[in-house]
Protein backbone atom coordinates (compact mmCIF):
# COMPACT_ATOMS: atom_id res chain seq x y z
CA UNK A 1 0.00 0.00 0.00
CA UNK A 2 2.79 2.45 0.92
CA UNK A 3 4.52 1.67 -2.40
CA UNK A 4 1.31 2.45 -4.31
CA UNK A 5 1.02 5.77 -2.47
CA UNK A 6 4.66 6.66 -3.12
CA UNK A 7 4.54 5.81 -6.83
CA UNK A 8 1.16 7.57 -7.07
CA UNK A 9 2.99 10.84 -6.31
CA UNK A 10 5.08 10.45 -9.49
CA UNK A 11 2.61 8.81 -11.89
CA UNK A 12 -0.54 10.07 -13.59
CA UNK A 13 -3.94 8.75 -12.46
CA UNK A 14 -6.09 8.21 -15.53
CA UNK A 15 -9.65 7.00 -16.12
CA UNK A 16 -10.52 5.52 -19.52
CA UNK A 17 -14.00 4.96 -20.93
CA UNK A 18 -12.98 2.37 -23.54
CA UNK A 19 -16.05 2.48 -25.74
CA UNK A 20 -17.06 0.73 -28.96
CA UNK A 21 -17.52 4.09 -30.70
CA UNK A 22 -15.47 6.57 -28.67
CA UNK A 23 -12.69 6.47 -26.09
CA UNK A 24 -12.65 9.19 -23.44
CA UNK A 25 -9.77 9.79 -21.05
CA UNK A 26 -10.05 11.67 -17.75
CA UNK A 27 -7.02 12.66 -15.65
CA UNK A 28 -7.29 13.00 -11.88
CA UNK A 29 -7.72 16.66 -10.98
CA UNK A 30 -8.10 17.76 -14.64
CA UNK A 31 -11.33 16.14 -15.80
CA UNK A 32 -11.76 14.88 -19.38
CA UNK A 33 -8.66 15.57 -21.49
CA UNK A 34 -9.32 13.38 -24.54
CA UNK A 35 -12.39 12.31 -26.51
CA UNK A 36 -11.66 10.49 -29.77
CA UNK A 37 -13.30 7.77 -31.89
CA UNK A 38 -12.18 4.18 -31.18
CA UNK A 39 -10.88 3.75 -34.73
CA UNK A 40 -7.43 2.77 -36.04
CA UNK A 41 -6.21 2.78 -39.66
CA UNK A 42 -3.92 -0.14 -40.54
CA UNK A 43 -2.21 -1.51 -43.64
CA UNK A 44 -4.53 -4.15 -45.11
CA UNK A 45 -3.76 -7.70 -43.98
CA UNK A 46 -1.54 -6.49 -41.12
CA UNK A 47 -1.84 -4.88 -37.69
CA UNK A 48 0.64 -2.15 -38.60
CA UNK A 49 -0.84 1.24 -37.67
CA UNK A 50 -0.51 3.76 -40.49
CA UNK A 51 1.20 7.12 -40.01
CA UNK A 52 -0.37 10.29 -41.35
CA UNK A 53 1.33 13.67 -41.05
CA UNK A 54 3.90 12.16 -38.69
CA UNK A 55 1.15 10.92 -36.31
CA UNK A 56 -0.42 7.45 -35.96
CA UNK A 57 -3.74 7.23 -37.81
CA UNK A 58 -5.81 6.76 -34.65
CA UNK A 59 -8.98 8.48 -33.44
CA UNK A 60 -10.35 11.38 -35.48
CA UNK A 61 -7.77 10.93 -38.24
CA UNK A 62 -8.79 7.28 -38.69
CA UNK A 63 -12.56 7.93 -38.41
CA UNK A 64 -12.40 10.24 -41.42
CA UNK A 65 -11.20 7.20 -43.39
CA UNK A 66 -14.11 4.89 -42.40
CA UNK A 67 -15.76 3.59 -45.57
CA UNK A 68 -13.45 5.69 -47.76
CA UNK A 69 -10.18 3.74 -47.71
CA UNK A 70 -8.40 2.39 -50.81
CA UNK A 71 -7.67 -1.33 -51.10
CA UNK A 72 -4.34 -1.06 -49.28
CA UNK A 73 -5.76 0.52 -46.09
CA UNK A 74 -8.35 -0.70 -43.58
CA UNK A 75 -10.01 1.52 -40.97
CA UNK A 76 -10.72 -0.77 -38.00
CA UNK A 77 -12.85 -0.43 -34.89
CA UNK A 78 -10.99 -2.83 -32.55
CA UNK A 79 -13.88 -3.09 -30.06
CA UNK A 80 -17.17 -4.77 -30.84
CA UNK A 81 -20.16 -4.90 -28.50
CA UNK A 82 -18.07 -3.24 -25.79
CA UNK A 83 -15.31 -5.87 -25.80
CA UNK A 84 -11.96 -6.23 -27.53
CA UNK A 85 -12.15 -8.00 -30.88
CA UNK A 86 -8.57 -7.22 -31.95
CA UNK A 87 -5.96 -7.29 -29.19
CA UNK A 88 -2.94 -5.86 -31.04
CA UNK A 89 -4.82 -2.93 -32.51
CA UNK A 90 -6.52 -2.14 -29.17
CA UNK A 91 -3.10 -2.16 -27.52
CA UNK A 92 -1.73 0.23 -30.16
CA UNK A 93 -4.76 2.51 -29.74
CA UNK A 94 -4.50 2.55 -25.94
CA UNK A 95 -0.76 3.22 -26.15
CA UNK A 96 -1.40 6.16 -28.48
CA UNK A 97 -4.06 7.67 -26.19
CA UNK A 98 -1.99 7.14 -23.02
CA UNK A 99 1.10 8.67 -24.66
CA UNK A 100 -0.92 11.60 -26.01
CA UNK A 101 -2.19 12.40 -22.52
CA UNK A 102 0.93 11.73 -20.43
CA UNK A 103 3.67 12.63 -22.93
CA UNK A 104 6.45 10.40 -24.18
CA UNK A 105 8.93 11.12 -21.40
CA UNK A 106 7.11 9.36 -18.57
CA UNK A 107 9.31 7.60 -16.04
CA UNK A 108 6.46 5.66 -14.43
CA UNK A 109 3.38 4.53 -16.32
CA UNK A 110 -0.04 5.84 -15.21
CA UNK A 111 -2.44 4.19 -12.80
CA UNK A 112 -5.44 3.49 -14.98
CA UNK A 113 -9.12 2.80 -14.25
CA UNK A 114 -10.89 1.34 -17.29
CA UNK A 115 -14.67 0.99 -17.48
CA UNK A 116 -15.94 -2.36 -18.75
CA UNK A 117 -19.44 -3.72 -19.55
CA UNK A 118 -20.93 -5.57 -16.57
CA UNK A 119 -21.76 -8.65 -18.66
CA UNK A 120 -18.32 -9.49 -20.04
CA UNK A 121 -16.55 -12.77 -19.32
CA UNK A 122 -13.39 -13.31 -17.25
CA UNK A 123 -11.44 -13.87 -20.49
CA UNK A 124 -12.69 -10.57 -21.92
CA UNK A 125 -11.76 -8.79 -18.66
CA UNK A 126 -8.26 -10.26 -18.84
CA UNK A 127 -7.94 -9.02 -22.45
CA UNK A 128 -8.66 -5.43 -21.35
CA UNK A 129 -6.30 -5.74 -18.38
CA UNK A 130 -3.44 -7.17 -20.49
CA UNK A 131 -3.91 -4.60 -23.28
CA UNK A 132 -3.67 -1.72 -20.79
CA UNK A 133 -0.61 -3.23 -19.14
CA UNK A 134 1.21 -3.70 -22.46
CA UNK A 135 0.19 -0.19 -23.51
CA UNK A 136 2.21 1.22 -20.59
CA UNK A 137 -0.10 1.31 -17.57
CA UNK A 138 1.70 0.74 -14.26
CA UNK A 139 -1.41 -0.40 -12.38
CA UNK A 140 -4.81 -1.18 -13.92
CA UNK A 141 -8.22 -1.33 -12.26
CA UNK A 142 -11.40 -2.45 -14.02
CA UNK A 143 -14.60 -0.67 -13.04
CA UNK A 144 -18.02 -1.79 -14.24
CA UNK A 145 -19.66 0.77 -16.54
CA UNK A 146 -22.94 1.11 -14.59
CA UNK A 147 -20.97 2.02 -11.45
CA UNK A 148 -18.84 4.55 -13.37
CA UNK A 149 -21.98 6.02 -15.00
CA UNK A 150 -23.75 6.29 -11.64
CA UNK A 151 -20.76 8.08 -10.08
CA UNK A 152 -20.50 10.41 -13.10
CA UNK A 153 -24.24 11.16 -13.00
CA UNK A 154 -23.99 12.11 -9.33
CA UNK A 155 -26.37 9.40 -8.13
CA UNK A 156 -26.29 8.51 -4.41
CA UNK A 157 -25.17 4.97 -5.27
CA UNK A 158 -23.25 4.58 -1.96
CA UNK A 159 -26.37 5.39 0.09
CA UNK A 160 -28.90 2.82 1.38
CA UNK A 161 -31.38 3.76 -1.35
CA UNK A 162 -31.92 2.45 -4.87
CA UNK A 163 -30.31 4.23 -7.84
CA UNK A 164 -31.04 3.02 -11.37
CA UNK A 165 -28.87 3.80 -14.38
CA UNK A 166 -29.47 2.95 -18.05
CA UNK A 167 -26.23 3.50 -19.99
CA UNK A 168 -26.83 3.24 -23.76
CA UNK A 169 -23.45 3.18 -25.44
CA UNK A 170 -22.29 2.23 -28.91
CA UNK A 171 -21.98 -1.54 -28.47
CA UNK A 172 -23.80 -2.34 -25.23
CA UNK A 173 -26.62 -1.09 -23.04
CA UNK A 174 -25.97 -1.42 -19.32
CA UNK A 175 -28.96 -1.46 -16.98
CA UNK A 176 -28.30 -1.58 -13.23
CA UNK A 177 -29.99 -0.98 -9.90
CA UNK A 178 -27.48 -0.01 -7.20
CA UNK A 179 -27.46 0.48 -3.47
CA UNK A 180 -24.74 0.80 -0.80
CA UNK A 181 -21.92 1.22 -3.36
CA UNK A 182 -22.64 -2.04 -5.15
CA UNK A 183 -24.84 -3.45 -7.90
CA UNK A 184 -28.01 -5.10 -6.58
CA UNK A 185 -29.20 -6.34 -9.99
CA UNK A 186 -28.02 -5.60 -13.50
CA UNK A 187 -28.19 -6.74 -17.08
CA UNK A 188 -25.92 -6.00 -20.03
CA UNK A 189 -27.35 -6.41 -23.53
CA UNK A 190 -25.36 -6.07 -26.73
CA UNK A 191 -27.91 -3.79 -28.36
CA UNK A 192 -27.10 -0.07 -28.49
CA UNK A 193 -26.21 2.82 -30.80
CA UNK A 194 -24.47 0.65 -33.43
CA UNK A 195 -27.60 -1.50 -33.77
CA UNK A 196 -29.65 1.65 -34.38
CA UNK A 197 -27.24 2.58 -37.20
CA UNK A 198 -27.52 -0.93 -38.65
CA UNK A 199 -31.33 -0.75 -38.48
CA UNK A 200 -31.22 2.49 -40.50
CA UNK A 201 -28.86 0.94 -43.07
CA UNK A 202 -31.17 -2.08 -43.41
CA UNK A 203 -34.19 0.22 -43.83
CA UNK A 204 -32.45 2.17 -46.63
CA UNK A 205 -31.63 -1.09 -48.44
CA UNK A 206 -35.08 -2.58 -47.98
CA UNK A 207 -37.15 0.52 -48.79
CA UNK A 208 -35.03 2.46 -51.29
CA UNK A 209 -32.52 -0.10 -52.64
CA UNK A 210 -29.91 2.37 -51.47
CA UNK A 211 -26.70 1.36 -49.71
CA UNK A 212 -25.40 3.87 -47.18
CA UNK A 213 -22.33 3.70 -44.94
CA UNK A 214 -22.01 3.69 -41.15
CA UNK A 215 -21.22 7.41 -40.95
CA UNK A 216 -24.26 8.33 -43.08
CA UNK A 217 -26.52 6.11 -40.94
CA UNK A 218 -25.17 7.75 -37.79
CA UNK A 219 -25.81 11.21 -39.27
CA UNK A 220 -29.42 10.22 -40.08
CA UNK A 221 -29.92 8.96 -36.51
CA UNK A 222 -28.53 12.16 -34.99
CA UNK A 223 -30.41 14.55 -37.29
CA UNK A 224 -33.88 13.00 -37.51
CA UNK A 225 -33.92 9.84 -35.35
CA UNK A 226 -36.45 9.60 -32.51
CA UNK A 227 -38.03 7.07 -30.16
CA UNK A 228 -41.47 8.71 -29.90
CA UNK A 229 -43.52 10.96 -32.25
CA UNK A 230 -42.24 14.54 -32.38
CA UNK A 231 -44.21 17.80 -32.49
CA UNK A 232 -42.47 18.72 -35.72
CA UNK A 233 -41.54 15.85 -38.03
CA UNK A 234 -38.62 16.52 -40.39
CA UNK A 235 -36.90 15.06 -43.46
CA UNK A 236 -33.38 15.04 -44.89
CA UNK A 237 -31.67 14.20 -48.15
CA UNK A 238 -29.54 11.04 -48.12
CA UNK A 239 -26.89 10.00 -50.64
CA UNK A 240 -25.62 6.50 -51.28
CA UNK A 241 -25.14 3.80 -53.94
CA UNK A 242 -28.09 2.37 -55.86
CA UNK A 243 -28.18 -1.42 -55.36
CA UNK A 244 -29.68 -2.06 -58.81
CA UNK A 245 -27.77 0.29 -61.10
CA UNK A 246 -24.66 0.54 -58.91
CA UNK A 247 -24.59 4.31 -59.46
CA UNK A 248 -24.58 7.09 -56.86
CA UNK A 249 -28.08 8.35 -56.02
CA UNK A 250 -29.86 10.54 -53.50
CA UNK A 251 -33.30 10.34 -51.92
CA UNK A 252 -35.33 12.11 -49.23
CA UNK A 253 -36.37 10.30 -46.06
CA UNK A 254 -38.64 11.33 -43.18
CA UNK A 255 -38.27 11.17 -39.40
CA UNK A 256 -41.43 9.00 -39.17
CA UNK A 257 -39.93 6.17 -41.22
CA UNK A 258 -36.63 6.30 -39.33
CA UNK A 259 -38.53 6.10 -36.02
CA UNK A 260 -40.28 2.99 -37.35
CA UNK A 261 -36.92 1.49 -38.40
CA UNK A 262 -35.52 2.08 -34.89
CA UNK A 263 -38.36 0.31 -33.07
CA UNK A 264 -36.58 -3.07 -32.89
CA UNK A 265 -33.36 -1.94 -31.11
CA UNK A 266 -35.31 0.51 -28.92
CA UNK A 267 -37.76 -2.28 -28.02
CA UNK A 268 -34.86 -4.57 -27.01
CA UNK A 269 -33.46 -1.86 -24.70
CA UNK A 270 -36.87 -1.24 -23.09
CA UNK A 271 -37.33 -5.00 -22.59
CA UNK A 272 -33.96 -5.17 -20.80
CA UNK A 273 -34.97 -2.31 -18.50
CA UNK A 274 -38.30 -3.92 -17.58
CA UNK A 275 -36.61 -7.31 -16.98
CA UNK A 276 -34.14 -5.69 -14.59
CA UNK A 277 -36.96 -3.94 -12.73
CA UNK A 278 -38.85 -7.23 -12.38
CA UNK A 279 -35.83 -8.74 -10.58
CA UNK A 280 -35.44 -5.86 -8.11
CA UNK A 281 -36.05 -6.47 -4.40
CA UNK A 282 -39.38 -4.95 -3.21
CA UNK A 283 -37.70 -2.28 -1.03
CA UNK A 284 -35.44 -1.20 -3.90
CA UNK A 285 -38.40 -1.12 -6.28
CA UNK A 286 -40.21 1.10 -3.79
CA UNK A 287 -37.24 3.52 -3.74
CA UNK A 288 -37.29 3.74 -7.55
CA UNK A 289 -40.86 5.07 -7.50
CA UNK A 290 -39.34 8.12 -5.80
CA UNK A 291 -35.85 8.15 -7.38
CA UNK A 292 -36.71 7.18 -10.96
CA UNK A 293 -34.29 6.17 -13.73
CA UNK A 294 -31.25 8.10 -14.99
CA UNK A 295 -30.11 7.71 -18.62
CA UNK A 296 -26.49 8.02 -19.70
CA UNK A 297 -24.43 7.28 -22.83
CA UNK A 298 -24.65 8.62 -26.39
CA UNK A 299 -27.71 6.50 -27.22
CA UNK A 300 -29.67 8.27 -24.48
CA UNK A 301 -29.48 11.44 -26.60
CA UNK A 302 -31.87 9.95 -29.17
CA UNK A 303 -34.93 12.23 -29.21
CA UNK A 304 -37.69 10.94 -26.95
CA UNK A 305 -35.66 8.11 -25.39
CA UNK A 306 -36.46 9.18 -21.78
CA UNK A 307 -40.15 9.60 -22.67
CA UNK A 308 -40.22 6.15 -24.32
CA UNK A 309 -38.76 4.49 -21.19
CA UNK A 310 -41.04 6.50 -18.91
CA UNK A 311 -44.11 5.30 -20.82
CA UNK A 312 -42.94 1.66 -20.63
CA UNK A 313 -42.02 1.65 -16.92
CA UNK A 314 -44.22 4.31 -15.35
CA UNK A 315 -41.13 5.71 -13.60
CA UNK A 316 -39.68 9.20 -13.95
CA UNK A 317 -36.80 9.06 -16.48
CA UNK A 318 -34.23 11.85 -16.75
CA UNK A 319 -31.06 12.42 -18.76
CA UNK A 320 -27.81 12.66 -16.83
CA UNK A 321 -25.87 15.88 -17.26
CA UNK A 322 -23.76 15.48 -20.43
CA UNK A 323 -24.64 11.79 -21.00
CA UNK A 324 -21.78 11.23 -23.46
CA UNK A 325 -19.08 11.89 -20.86
CA UNK A 326 -20.86 10.38 -17.86
CA UNK A 327 -18.80 7.17 -17.63
CA UNK A 328 -15.47 8.99 -18.15
CA UNK A 329 -16.37 11.54 -15.47
CA UNK A 330 -17.27 8.65 -13.17
CA UNK A 331 -13.83 7.07 -13.61
CA UNK A 332 -12.26 10.47 -12.87
CA UNK A 333 -14.25 10.89 -9.64
CA UNK A 334 -13.45 7.30 -8.71
CA UNK A 335 -9.74 8.10 -9.12
CA UNK A 336 -10.06 11.01 -6.70
CA UNK A 337 -11.50 8.59 -4.10
CA UNK A 338 -9.51 5.53 -5.15
CA UNK A 339 -8.16 4.67 -1.70
CA UNK A 340 -11.64 4.89 -0.17
CA UNK A 341 -13.49 2.95 -2.89
CA UNK A 342 -10.78 0.49 -3.96
CA UNK A 343 -11.82 -2.02 -1.28
CA UNK A 344 -15.54 -1.19 -1.37
CA UNK A 345 -15.74 -1.98 -5.08
CA UNK A 346 -13.22 -4.80 -5.14
CA UNK A 347 -15.74 -7.15 -6.81
CA UNK A 348 -15.97 -4.72 -9.74
CA UNK A 349 -12.24 -4.53 -10.24
CA UNK A 350 -9.30 -6.62 -11.29
CA UNK A 351 -5.57 -6.24 -10.80
Amino acid sequence: MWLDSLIGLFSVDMGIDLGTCNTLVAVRGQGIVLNEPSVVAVAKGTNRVLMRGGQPAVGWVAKEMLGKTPGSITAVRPLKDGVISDFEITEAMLNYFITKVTGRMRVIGPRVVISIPSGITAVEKRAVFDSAERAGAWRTYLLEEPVAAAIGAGLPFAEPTASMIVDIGGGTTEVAIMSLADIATCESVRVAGDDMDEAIMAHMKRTYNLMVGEQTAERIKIQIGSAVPQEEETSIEVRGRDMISGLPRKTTITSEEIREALQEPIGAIIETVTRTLERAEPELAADLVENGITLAGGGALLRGMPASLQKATGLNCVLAEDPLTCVARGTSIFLENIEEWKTTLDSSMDG
Side-chain angles (χ1 to χ4, degrees), residues 56-211:
V58 177
W60 289 113
V61 174
K63 185 170 184 180
E64 290 172 3
M65 301 180 185
L66 272 177
K68 300 178 181 179
T69 55
S72 59
I73 298 171
T74 307
V76 179
R77 290 170 64 180
L79 289 106
K80 183 170 175 58
D81 297 331
V83 297
I84 294 173
S85 59
D86 192 305
F87 303 106
E88 285 185 50
I89 296 176
T90 301
E91 186 184 326
M93 182 178 77
L94 272 174
N95 188 58
Y96 169 75
F97 290 146
I98 289 172
T99 302
K100 189 171 182 178
V101 171
T102 62
R104 295 186 181 278
M105 300 301 292
R106 59 177 189 266
V107 178
I108 300 169
R111 287 197 300 181
V112 173
V113 174
I114 300 181
S115 65
I116 54 167
S118 59
I120 70 172
T121 64
V123 173
E124 290 165 339
K125 279 185 182 181
R126 176 52 58 182
V128 177
F129 186 83
D130 289 347
S131 292
E133 205 169 52
R134 287 197 294 266
W138 168 70
R139 178 63 58 84
T140 304
Y141 302 106
L142 304 184
L143 180 65
E144 291 185 337
E145 273 178 29
V147 175
I151 295 171
L155 298 182
F157 90 112
E159 303 298 323
T161 184
S163 299
M164 185 167 185
I165 192 92
V166 178
D167 178 20
I168 308 170
T172 62
T173 294
E174 306 285 321
V175 182
I177 299 170
M178 286 161 285
S179 177
L180 293 168
D182 205 351
I183 294 173
T185 182
C186 73
E187 189 165 338
S188 176
V189 62
R190 295 185 180 187
V191 177
D194 283 353
D195 297 270
M196 295 181 193
D197 296 344
E198 285 171 16
I200 291 170
M201 290 163 71
H203 170 76
M204 296 305 296
K205 281 183 186 177
R206 188 173 57 248
T207 310
Y208 297 99
N209 286 321
L210 192 71
M211 290 189 75

Side-chain angles (χ1 to χ4, degrees), residues 113-305:
V113 174
I114 300 181
S115 65
I116 54 167
S118 59
I120 70 172
T121 64
V123 173
E124 290 165 339
K125 279 185 182 181
R126 176 52 58 182
V128 177
F129 186 83
D130 289 347
S131 292
E133 205 169 52
R134 287 197 294 266
W138 168 70
R139 178 63 58 84
T140 304
Y141 302 106
L142 304 184
L143 180 65
E144 291 185 337
E145 273 178 29
V147 175
I151 295 171
L155 298 182
F157 90 112
E159 303 298 323
T161 184
S163 299
M164 185 167 185
I165 192 92
V166 178
D167 178 20
I168 308 170
T172 62
T173 294
E174 306 285 321
V175 182
I177 299 170
M178 286 161 285
S179 177
L180 293 168
D182 205 351
I183 294 173
T185 182
C186 73
E187 189 165 338
S188 176
V189 62
R190 295 185 180 187
V191 177
D194 283 353
D195 297 270
M196 295 181 193
D197 296 344
E198 285 171 16
I200 291 170
M201 290 163 71
H203 170 76
M204 296 305 296
K205 281 183 186 177
R206 188 173 57 248
T207 310
Y208 297 99
N209 286 321
L210 192 71
M211 290 189 75
V212 298
E214 290 175 22
Q215 295 199 68
T216 298
E218 186 180 26
R219 181 175 62 86
I220 293 168
K221 177 181 70 179
I222 292 169
Q223 290 187 5
I224 64 170
S226 63
V228 296
Q230 302 296 293
E231 284 184 18
E232 190 177 331
E233 302 290 356
T234 54
S235 62
I236 60 167
E237 192 175 78
V238 176
R239 300 174 182 84
R241 177 163 61 83
D242 191 292
M243 292 172 66
I244 298 169
S245 69
L247 300 174
R249 179 165 66 85
K250 63 182 180 181
T251 189
T252 300
I253 59 171
T254 65
S255 54
E256 291 101 325
E257 61 182 293
I258 294 304
R259 181 167 58 253
E260 186 62 35
L262 292 174
Q263 286 311 299
E264 190 176 335
I266 290 170
I269 292 168
I270 290 172
E271 194 178 315
T272 304
V273 173
T274 54
R275 264 202 314 269
T276 307
L277 284 167
E278 285 164 7
R279 296 206 308 270
E281 292 293 329
E283 290 296 338
L284 294 177
D287 287 344
L288 292 175
V289 174
E290 179 77 22
N291 299 341
I293 301 171
T294 301
L295 275 68
L301 292 169
L302 183 73
R303 291 171 191 81
M305 198 67 206

Side-chain angles (χ1 to χ4, degrees), residues 8-42:
L9 294 172
F10 299 99
S11 71
V12 176
D13 282 345
M14 184 184 297
I16 301 177
D17 174 11
L18 189 61
T20 306
C21 293
N22 295 288
T23 295
L24 288 83
V25 178
V27 171
R28 183 176 184 173
Q30 297 179 38
I32 293 165
V33 295
L34 182 142
N35 182 356
E36 296 209 25
S38 303
V39 184
V40 182
V42 298

